mmCIF file of all heavy atoms in Angstrom:
data_model
loop_
_atom_site.group_PDB
_atom_site.id
_atom_site.type_symbol
_atom_site.label_atom_id
_atom_site.label_comp_id
_atom_site.label_asym_id
_atom_site.label_seq_id
_atom_site.Cartn_x
_atom_site.Cartn_y
_atom_site.Cartn_z
ATOM 1 N N ASP I 132 15.648 -23.223 -9.127
ATOM 2 C CA ASP I 132 16.870 -22.813 -8.407
ATOM 3 C C ASP I 132 17.001 -21.293 -8.312
ATOM 4 O O ASP I 132 17.988 -20.761 -7.839
ATOM 5 C CB ASP I 132 18.111 -23.362 -9.087
ATOM 6 C CG ASP I 132 18.128 -24.900 -9.086
ATOM 7 O OD1 ASP I 132 17.676 -25.461 -8.061
ATOM 8 O OD2 ASP I 132 18.592 -25.508 -10.038
ATOM 9 N N SER I 133 15.988 -20.561 -8.800
ATOM 10 C CA SER I 133 16.041 -19.090 -8.756
ATOM 11 C C SER I 133 16.164 -18.591 -7.323
ATOM 12 O O SER I 133 15.617 -19.187 -6.366
ATOM 13 C CB SER I 133 14.766 -18.511 -9.352
ATOM 14 O OG SER I 133 14.660 -17.149 -9.079
ATOM 15 N N ALA I 134 16.952 -17.547 -7.179
ATOM 16 C CA ALA I 134 17.121 -16.936 -5.826
ATOM 17 C C ALA I 134 15.803 -16.422 -5.274
ATOM 18 O O ALA I 134 15.665 -16.237 -4.052
ATOM 19 C CB ALA I 134 18.124 -15.790 -5.929
ATOM 20 N N TYR I 135 14.816 -16.239 -6.183
ATOM 21 C CA TYR I 135 13.544 -15.656 -5.761
ATOM 22 C C TYR I 135 12.446 -16.719 -5.555
ATOM 23 O O TYR I 135 11.294 -16.399 -5.199
ATOM 24 C CB TYR I 135 13.040 -14.661 -6.826
ATOM 25 C CG TYR I 135 14.000 -13.534 -7.090
ATOM 26 C CD1 TYR I 135 14.439 -13.260 -8.401
ATOM 27 C CD2 TYR I 135 14.493 -12.755 -6.050
ATOM 28 C CE1 TYR I 135 15.310 -12.243 -8.669
ATOM 29 C CE2 TYR I 135 15.386 -11.693 -6.328
ATOM 30 C CZ TYR I 135 15.806 -11.442 -7.631
ATOM 31 O OH TYR I 135 16.687 -10.452 -7.867
ATOM 32 N N ASN I 136 12.755 -17.980 -5.762
ATOM 33 C CA ASN I 136 11.772 -19.012 -5.744
ATOM 34 C C ASN I 136 11.008 -19.059 -4.409
ATOM 35 O O ASN I 136 9.818 -19.278 -4.376
ATOM 36 C CB ASN I 136 12.421 -20.360 -6.050
ATOM 37 C CG ASN I 136 11.381 -21.426 -6.406
ATOM 38 O OD1 ASN I 136 10.878 -22.136 -5.601
ATOM 39 N ND2 ASN I 136 11.080 -21.516 -7.737
ATOM 40 N N SER I 137 11.674 -18.881 -3.323
ATOM 41 C CA SER I 137 11.037 -18.955 -1.998
ATOM 42 C C SER I 137 10.095 -17.816 -1.714
ATOM 43 O O SER I 137 9.377 -17.885 -0.694
ATOM 44 C CB SER I 137 12.132 -19.053 -0.902
ATOM 45 O OG SER I 137 12.853 -17.871 -0.804
ATOM 46 N N MET I 138 10.052 -16.822 -2.555
ATOM 47 C CA MET I 138 9.153 -15.687 -2.338
ATOM 48 C C MET I 138 7.705 -16.046 -2.663
ATOM 49 O O MET I 138 6.802 -15.344 -2.388
ATOM 50 C CB MET I 138 9.548 -14.512 -3.215
ATOM 51 C CG MET I 138 10.746 -13.721 -2.709
ATOM 52 S SD MET I 138 11.096 -12.260 -3.779
ATOM 53 C CE MET I 138 9.582 -11.279 -3.530
ATOM 54 N N PHE I 139 7.532 -17.206 -3.315
ATOM 55 C CA PHE I 139 6.193 -17.597 -3.803
ATOM 56 C C PHE I 139 5.902 -19.051 -3.386
ATOM 57 O O PHE I 139 6.791 -19.847 -3.174
ATOM 58 C CB PHE I 139 6.139 -17.430 -5.302
ATOM 59 C CG PHE I 139 6.628 -16.143 -5.835
ATOM 60 C CD1 PHE I 139 7.931 -16.004 -6.344
ATOM 61 C CD2 PHE I 139 5.874 -15.001 -5.740
ATOM 62 C CE1 PHE I 139 8.421 -14.770 -6.749
ATOM 63 C CE2 PHE I 139 6.332 -13.753 -6.120
ATOM 64 C CZ PHE I 139 7.612 -13.669 -6.648
ATOM 65 N N HIS I 140 4.588 -19.317 -3.304
ATOM 66 C CA HIS I 140 4.170 -20.646 -2.946
ATOM 67 C C HIS I 140 3.581 -21.357 -4.170
ATOM 68 O O HIS I 140 2.556 -20.953 -4.690
ATOM 69 C CB HIS I 140 3.117 -20.614 -1.836
ATOM 70 C CG HIS I 140 2.562 -21.943 -1.457
ATOM 71 N ND1 HIS I 140 3.355 -22.892 -0.831
ATOM 72 C CD2 HIS I 140 1.364 -22.517 -1.660
ATOM 73 C CE1 HIS I 140 2.586 -23.972 -0.624
ATOM 74 N NE2 HIS I 140 1.390 -23.806 -1.102
ATOM 75 N N PHE I 141 4.283 -22.382 -4.586
ATOM 76 C CA PHE I 141 3.851 -23.166 -5.756
ATOM 77 C C PHE I 141 3.284 -24.512 -5.293
ATOM 78 O O PHE I 141 3.916 -25.277 -4.561
ATOM 79 C CB PHE I 141 5.049 -23.481 -6.689
ATOM 80 C CG PHE I 141 5.580 -22.293 -7.433
ATOM 81 C CD1 PHE I 141 6.646 -21.559 -6.908
ATOM 82 C CD2 PHE I 141 5.014 -21.871 -8.600
ATOM 83 C CE1 PHE I 141 7.131 -20.449 -7.583
ATOM 84 C CE2 PHE I 141 5.494 -20.795 -9.266
ATOM 85 C CZ PHE I 141 6.572 -20.063 -8.785
ATOM 86 N N GLU I 142 2.033 -24.737 -5.700
ATOM 87 C CA GLU I 142 1.445 -26.104 -5.482
ATOM 88 C C GLU I 142 2.106 -27.069 -6.418
ATOM 89 O O GLU I 142 2.379 -28.202 -6.070
ATOM 90 C CB GLU I 142 -0.040 -26.070 -5.704
ATOM 91 C CG GLU I 142 -0.843 -25.243 -4.678
ATOM 92 C CD GLU I 142 -0.929 -25.880 -3.314
ATOM 93 O OE1 GLU I 142 -0.606 -27.088 -3.250
ATOM 94 O OE2 GLU I 142 -1.285 -25.218 -2.346
ATOM 95 N N LYS I 143 2.303 -26.582 -7.656
ATOM 96 C CA LYS I 143 3.009 -27.368 -8.680
ATOM 97 C C LYS I 143 3.746 -26.401 -9.560
ATOM 98 O O LYS I 143 3.171 -25.593 -10.318
ATOM 99 C CB LYS I 143 1.998 -28.192 -9.506
ATOM 100 C CG LYS I 143 2.631 -29.051 -10.589
ATOM 101 C CD LYS I 143 1.572 -29.821 -11.380
ATOM 102 C CE LYS I 143 2.255 -30.646 -12.464
ATOM 103 N NZ LYS I 143 1.212 -31.368 -13.285
#
Side-chain angles (χ1 to χ4, degrees):
D132 295 325
S133 168
Y135 303 126
N136 197 269
S137 65
M138 283 183 65
F139 311 100
H140 177 67
F141 290 95
E142 294 287 347
K143 181 181 179 182

